[in-house]
Amino acid sequence: MIIPHPLLGPRDAQEFTYLGDASLLNRPDWQAENADAAFYDYQYLRNNPAGVHRELWFHEQGDRSWLIVTRNTVTHEILGAELAVDVARDMSTKTETGV
Amino acid sequence: MCEYRLSAVAALSPPNREPKPVGSFQLTELTEVSIASVASRNTFTEECGQSFAQFIGVDIPAIGQFVRGAVHSAFWSAPGQWFVLSSHNTNEELAGDLKDAIGSGVSVSEQNDAWTCFELTGSGLNSVFERLAGFDVHSFSTGDVVRTTIEHMGCFVLCLETSNLFQLLVARSYARAMSHAVLQAFQSSAALEKV
């Protein structure tokens, strides 16, 4: 597989390591009332879609950046890749502004 | 300047350290290189960037690039991170000097003994890198840099002159293994030249 790195262009998947579902970016609030249940979900429960899936990849043998790669788990077609730091920043901005 | 009572040794011990010519190619361990890494913090400002550029004497390298000033050279290693190279004889305390010059907007780490720097010379080194690594060496030209793997070893490849002059930074503990891998690739490429 070739992963289209947003900064470095097409790179071989061999250079990356896979972490898992991109929902891992949504770490629950540890001070919330339901933190136990939220962390149980966060840690153990995953969707396992046959189709388009957003997942975290680490460019270990490259620039060491975390990417969110959108991949079709049936065809292995890579539909896009973005820097996880940009996605996380957008998410926190939306949370702060309540959008 | 520090006062030393122990003798510094290179990563490769003699006779492995002698330059190794194979056909038109040659591999040399550069022992006189001072290395430091610079990582920007959240407090990195435009002024920090200007101080950094002033220190290296040229603009900060862009993504996948390296630049050479009169005294120092630098290359991009990751978003907001760079490596700076210099002469060990004249800039041994490179990391401290960088920190003093740029200030609190960056974290600077000395990398002197973390990495070994090899120089590869010869005409047609692209055929050597075709054998060694997975990046597209034919699109590589002077000033390009890539972090990749060679024989499972993470390394930086710097192109100083298209297809003719490269530098290779690899973890010091892998110096012998990398030297072996490069020399084998030299032999394969040199053998093909004779065909």
Side-chain angles (χ1 to χ4, degrees):
Chain A
M1 283 195 302
I2 302 287
I3 293 180
H5 194 296
L7 300 176
L8 301 170
R11 305 294 291 247
D12 196 301
Q14 260 190 349
E15 294 182 359
F16 295 81
T17 50
Y18 175 81
L19 179 71
D21 196 312
S23 66
L24 286 170
L25 281 180
N26 305 317
R27 194 176 176 82
D29 177 8
W30 64 278
Q31 289 181 310
E33 289 278 318
N34 62 344
D36 282 357
F39 267 98
Y40 176 81
D41 286 357
Y42 176 79
Q43 183 73 29
Y44 296 112
L45 302 182
R46 299 277 188 282
N47 292 327
N48 187 20
V52 175
H53 189 217
R54 277 161 58 82
E55 46 204 28
L56 282 162
W57 288 74
F58 179 51
H59 197 194
E60 185 174 22
Q61 302 297 350
D63 73 343
R64 325 283 283 189
S65 56
W66 282 99
L67 302 186
I68 292 185
V69 176
T70 309
R71 181 173 69 97
N72 187 318
T73 56
V74 178
T75 61
H76 292 310
E77 184 188 2
I78 306 257
L79 303 165
E82 49 201 324
L83 288 173
V85 65
D86 292 343
V87 176
R89 204 170 281 146
D90 282 354
M91 274 167 33
S92 65
T93 312
K94 281 175 188 164
T95 312
E96 280 165 22
T97 55
V99 178
Chain B
M1 190 59 81
C2 312
E3 184 191 334
Y4 294 118
R5 281 174 285 175
L6 297 172
S7 303
V9 292
L12 296 181
S13 53
N16 294 329
R17 199 167 63 233
E18 301 306 316
K20 294 279 190 309
V22 179
S24 66
F25 307 117
Q26 181 160 299
L27 176 72
T28 313
E29 183 195 355
L30 303 179
T31 55
E32 212 272 292
V33 186
S34 200
I35 310 169
S37 64
V38 177
S40 59
R41 297 178 180 171
N42 282 343
T43 53
F44 190 84
T45 58
E46 207 173 305
E47 286 75 39
C48 296
Q50 285 164 359
S51 307
F52 186 20
Q54 204 172 353
F55 184 89
I56 56 177
V58 277
D59 285 345
I60 301 176
I63 294 167
Q65 297 290 305
F66 88 99
V67 291
R68 297 164 91 172
V71 180
H72 309 290
S73 52
F75 64 86
W76 182 92
S77 59
Q81 294 180 40
W82 305 270
F83 267 52
V84 181
L85 310 174
S86 197
S87 157
H88 191 269
N89 281 342
T90 52
N91 293 286
E92 184 184 347
E93 292 169 17
L94 177 66
D97 295 343
L98 270 164
K99 184 67 184 167
D100 290 344
I102 309 173
S104 63
V106 292
S107 297
V108 182
S109 306
E110 188 186 275
Q111 303 280 351
N112 281 353
D113 285 332
W115 300 84
T116 295
C117 188
F118 287 109
E119 187 171 82
L120 287 75
T121 55
S123 164
L125 278 168
N126 282 358
S127 74
V128 173
F129 280 101
E130 275 178 358
R131 285 163 174 74
L132 286 173
F135 69 95
D136 182 11
V137 70
H138 293 286
S139 66
F140 230 52
S141 58
T142 306
D144 285 340
V145 60
V146 67
R147 186 172 191 161
T148 185
T149 49
I150 290 178
E151 304 259 349
H152 304 283
M153 295 173 275
C155 59
F156 289 105
V157 179
L158 285 67
C159 180
L160 279 73
E161 191 189 319
T162 308
S163 196
N164 295 328
L165 179 59
F166 286 82
Q167 282 184 3
L168 192 59
L169 266 77
V170 66
R172 184 184 163 112
S173 50
Y174 286 132
R176 275 186 71 180
M178 180 59 83
S179 159
H180 177 74
V182 172
L183 290 173
Q184 276 202 321
F186 276 0
Q187 283 167 1
S188 302
S189 296
L192 268 188
E193 280 179 4
K194 291 179 189 165
V195 175

